[in-house]
Amino acid sequence: MKKGKEAMLSDHMEGFQEKPINYNAYEVSFRRWLVGQIDAEKMSFQQARDRFD
């Protein structure tokens, strides 16, 4: 890693809110479809989080 990039790394978690995930709020078929989309690389994990909260 270049020296300039090292200064940009941080472990600050300010503003990050950890929310518990209620998996029962989603149907099993939806969860299977979503995992299939992520596994097929049609959707990233972050895109899924943003879209479906």
Side-chain angles (χ1 to χ4, degrees), residues 6-22:
E6 289 177 12
M8 295 173 60
L9 299 177
S10 172
D11 61 353
H12 292 284
M13 299 297 288
E14 295 173 12
F16 180 77
Q17 297 177 359
E18 187 173 336
K19 296 189 306 185
I21 300 171
N22 180 6

Side-chain angles (χ1 to χ4, degrees), residues 15-51:
F16 180 77
Q17 297 177 359
E18 187 173 336
K19 296 189 306 185
I21 300 171
N22 180 6
Y23 292 109
N24 294 326
Y26 301 99
E27 292 184 16
V28 173
S29 59
F30 170 75
R31 290 184 284 174
R32 288 181 181 153
W33 170 82
L34 186 57
V35 169
Q37 293 293 305
I38 294 170
D39 284 347
E41 297 181 358
K42 294 181 180 179
M43 184 181 304
S44 72
F45 182 73
Q46 187 61 46
Q47 288 172 325
R49 287 190 69 166
D50 292 342
R51 184 171 174 187

